[in-house]
Amino acid sequence: MKADSKKTILVVDDNSDLIYSVKEGLKSIANYEVKGVENGKECLDFLSKQKPDLILLDIMMPGMDGWDVCAKIKGKKDTANIPIIFLTAKTDPISKSMGRLASKDYIEKPFELKDLKRRIDKGLEKD
């Protein structure tokens, strides 16, 4: 893969305004292709067709929450290595510590766009 090729970021959030804001914000400061889906089922459907370079995943969503989505992604061989960053309004200590164990990073809403980009860049680095 060429170093200058665009990285694909998948935003999974039930708030379409947040998806739009992240998409437009990152487009203005980073060379990412940002895709968005509004629930866990759409995320898993997306992953069956396309593999993003990183997933920004909300925790509190109707139907399948972010914990379940993360477990399903990590439980499949073809998606297990996709880095996940939780992007959530859940700020309780248990969620934070569980989120840091299950994912690359745990970012609380509201967030600063430049901080989000910096943490995505860090999440995209190979371990």
Side-chain angles (χ1 to χ4, degrees):
M1 187 194 301
K2 296 191 320 258
D4 63 344
S5 65
K6 269 191 181 182
K7 298 285 188 190
T8 301
I9 311 297
L10 178 63
V11 183
V12 185
D13 199 299
D14 58 324
N15 180 339
S16 58
D17 290 340
L18 180 113
I19 293 171
Y20 178 81
S21 296
V22 169
K23 195 180 283 192
E24 292 304 306
L26 286 176
K27 194 163 68 174
S28 72
I29 64 170
N31 189 29
Y32 296 140
E33 182 174 352
V34 182
K35 308 279 187 178
V37 295
E38 294 187 22
N39 60 54
K41 182 184 179 324
E42 287 180 19
C43 173
L44 298 175
D45 289 346
F46 181 95
L47 294 176
S48 71
K49 300 175 198 80
Q50 192 178 343
K51 305 294 183 271
D53 295 291
L54 183 137
I55 299 170
L56 294 176
L57 180 60
D58 188 19
I59 293 174
M60 296 183 290
M61 296 184 290
M64 193 185 315
D65 68 18
W67 302 121
D68 289 340
V69 176
C70 181
K72 286 184 185 324
I73 292 168
K74 294 300 179 189
K76 290 182 72 183
K77 198 185 304 185
D78 66 329
T79 56
N81 292 327
I82 299 171
I84 295 173
I85 295 178
F86 282 113
L87 187 61
T88 183
K90 282 186 83 65
T91 59
D92 63 280
I94 293 171
S95 292
K96 284 183 189 178
S97 58
M98 279 181 57
R100 287 196 177 98
L101 286 173
S103 67
K104 280 276 202 183
D105 204 346
Y106 190 95
I107 302 172
E108 294 174 21
K109 298 172 188 172
F111 54 87
E112 290 290 325
L113 194 58
K114 285 184 176 142
D115 183 50
L116 178 63
K117 181 198 177 299
R118 181 180 58 77
R119 290 165 81 170
I120 288 171
D121 289 344
K122 190 169 175 14
L124 287 167
E125 292 173 3
K126 300 289 180 227
D127 291 330

